[in-house]
Amino acid sequence: MRTPLPPSANANAANDVAGEPSHAQWAEIVQQLGAEIAGPLSSALERIHKLVSTGQIDRQSLRALRESVSQAREAGMVGQQLARLASGRLHLSREKMHLTQVLRSVLAQRSRETQARGIQVRQVLKPIEVMTDGSLLFALLNALMDWALASTHSSIDLRLDLTPWPAKARLVCRFAHRSLDLLDDPRAAETPATLNSLAWRLVEQTAITLGVLPLREDEAGITVLTLEFPHIVGDEANGLAATERALDAPSEGESSQDYPPSSNSKPLAGSHVLVIAQRRELRSQLQAAMQHMGLIIDVVGSMEEAAQFCSEGLPHGIVFEARLRGPEFDRLYAEAMREVQDFSFVEVLDEAHKTQLSTATPDGLARISRQHLNDALPSVLLFELSKGL
């Protein structure tokens, strides 16, 4: 199986990055994307050829085939997010965000996944507010967890504090990138491929787009990534107001009408939604209504499949067909709410029904009629998926 091409720079390449990445850096990323998609698909194709020739496949080979396809799919989704960052058409908003609360929300969202992998996430987080783009901050923290969970051979330590003057918010992520019993191995000096995977590229490029400096050190089997957020709330010395004006002002040849802030920045991009619908035509309608929102969408046909899907990690929200409600849904709802207090459920009804947000219903479920999906579902999801931030 082909392995991803390593970056031409060293492991601390992010430390030398200033401003927008060059064309050569994006060319490397595209090359790496091709390798990370082609490798798993080549492996899957080999197994399919074997299946065709023998007419049978054992459980282990079937599991490996599913994993290969899943790896290629994940690489493709990361590629979509990288393409969004590379488009140059993002206009970032600047809003006050409680960095600590957003991070805790992401960790709560990923708690089932970390527990299933047997990975402990240790936190020492000071309460800090920053001025930044909320949707991209959420995407950065999720990308950080994706990369760390795929790379760690230990617990993950997260520390959030302030640097000395000039004060900046500093998020430090630390983990062992190889097993401790292999530290004396001569190959221990080599950087594992997972550290410089597309998942890392997404962390790096999202941080750079946000104006957050990523500093990474890999030494003696330990990786330490530091993300520095320059604009803390109350930090007037950094000239935040001038930065805001520069970011919000249209560049030469553009008008402000060309880029409406909310729709153009796709505030939910990178969020993960699970669709539960038994009927194929409804699944297609739901996907069509959400296709321009930048969401990562998975689809299952029953509550049993949804429970199995969520056992490996909760999505950020669930859109489900009302006719599938029953005891299995009640169990899924209870488990999700136990883990994430503000978890989002949107119920889709066949009959005429007024659109309701979760804050307007006694059971905390958002509701929407099928006839209003194209017009109202994006707005409902924008509210529901943002309420926990």
Side-chain angles (χ1 to χ4, degrees):
M1 181 186 299
R2 294 177 62 191
T3 55
L5 295 175
S8 59
N10 58 35
N12 294 326
N15 301 356
D16 302 321
V17 173
E20 293 298 320
S22 66
H23 292 299
Q25 287 172 313
W26 280 119
E28 286 181 2
I29 291 174
V30 171
Q31 188 177 21
Q32 187 172 351
L33 173 62
E36 289 200 22
I37 293 178
L41 286 184
S42 297
S43 177
L45 189 59
E46 290 177 10
R47 296 185 184 279
I48 291 173
H49 285 323
K50 184 177 179 180
L51 171 61
V52 171
S53 62
T54 64
Q56 58 185 3
I57 186 170
D58 56 38
R59 182 173 298 179
Q60 183 178 0
S61 296
L62 182 60
R63 184 183 302 113
L65 175 60
R66 184 184 298 131
E67 289 176 356
S68 295
V69 174
S70 177
Q71 289 170 7
R73 177 177 178 274
E74 289 173 5
M77 291 191 298
V78 172
Q80 288 179 325
Q81 296 178 68
L82 285 167
R84 173 174 169 258
L85 298 175
S87 69
R89 297 176 65 86
L90 287 178
H91 278 219
L92 305 185
S93 64
R94 282 292 182 268
E95 54 188 317
K96 184 168 72 172
M97 301 295 300
H98 200 297
L99 178 55
T100 315
Q101 291 180 359
V102 177
L103 178 56
R104 285 176 175 155
S105 173
V106 169
L107 294 177
Q109 200 88 45
R110 309 296 292 266
S111 61
R112 181 177 296 196
E113 182 181 358
T114 57
Q115 290 170 10
R117 298 189 186 195
I119 298 172
Q120 181 183 9
V121 180
R122 299 186 295 204
Q123 315 165 36
V124 180
L125 310 178
K126 290 187 176 180
I128 298 174
E129 291 183 313
V130 296
M131 296 297 294
T132 189
D133 182 278
S135 62
L136 214 54
L137 171 64
F138 186 68
L140 172 61
L141 297 178
N142 268 294
L144 172 63
M145 289 302 298
D146 287 338
W147 172 68
L149 287 171
S151 305
T152 186
H153 287 264
S154 66
S155 61
I156 298 173
D157 294 332
L158 296 173
R159 187 179 77 251
L160 179 61
D161 59 15
L162 294 174
T163 65
W165 189 91
K168 298 176 183 179
R170 176 174 56 190
L171 174 59
V172 179
C173 175
R174 183 181 186 276
F175 57 84
H177 61 246
R178 63 178 66 255
S179 299
L180 296 179
D181 55 358
L182 295 179
L183 290 181
D184 295 331
D185 191 298
R187 293 170 295 178
E190 300 176 5
T191 303
T194 53
L195 280 182
N196 290 317
S197 65
L198 279 177
W200 160 248
R201 295 288 199 171
L202 184 59
V203 173
E204 181 183 44
Q205 299 307 325
T206 305
I208 292 170
T209 302
L210 261 182
V212 173
L213 179 63
L215 302 169
R216 193 180 115 197
E217 298 178 1
D218 307 314
E219 188 175 355
I222 302 297
T223 290
V224 180
L225 172 65
T226 302
L227 299 174
E228 291 188 355
F229 296 78
H231 300 307
I232 62 173
V233 171
D235 185 18
E236 300 173 356
N238 285 320
L240 177 57
T243 304
E244 284 182 337
R245 288 194 296 271
L247 284 170
D248 292 338
S251 58
E252 186 177 354
E254 296 178 352
S255 67
S256 59
Q257 286 81 4
D258 293 332
Y259 298 101
S262 60
S263 60
N264 197 53
S265 62
K266 293 186 179 179
L268 299 181
S271 295
H272 185 190
V273 171
L274 177 65
V275 171
I276 312 172
Q278 192 174 42
R279 292 169 291 175
R280 179 177 298 176
E281 65 273 16
L282 178 56
R283 293 199 294 265
S284 298
Q285 186 179 356
L286 286 166
Q287 288 177 296
M290 295 184 283
Q291 66 179 345
H292 299 301
M293 299 180 67
L295 297 167
I296 298 170
I297 302 171
D298 277 295
V299 181
V300 296
S302 68
M303 286 297 167
E304 183 180 359
E305 292 178 26
Q308 183 177 357
F309 182 95
C310 292
S311 67
E312 300 177 3
L314 286 174
H316 299 120
I318 290 176
V319 179
F320 69 98
E321 186 176 359
R323 64 163 62 182
L324 296 179
R325 287 197 67 165
E328 289 182 336
F329 170 78
D330 294 339
R331 284 193 292 271
L332 178 62
Y333 176 83
E335 290 177 8
M337 288 302 182
R338 257 197 315 269
E339 290 191 30
V340 182
Q341 186 177 2
D342 292 313
F343 191 84
S344 301
F345 283 92
V346 180
E347 184 177 21
V348 180
L349 301 100
D350 283 329
E351 64 271 16
H353 193 282
K354 69 176 182 179
T355 300
Q356 293 177 299
L357 299 176
S358 58
T359 52
T361 61
D363 55 5
L365 297 179
R367 289 187 173 83
I368 184 171
S369 172
R370 184 174 176 180
Q371 68 190 61
H372 298 145
L373 287 180
N374 293 337
D375 296 329
L377 183 58
S379 298
V380 171
L381 285 174
L382 178 60
F383 174 83
E384 296 298 329
L385 296 180
S386 302
K387 65 185 180 181
L389 298 183

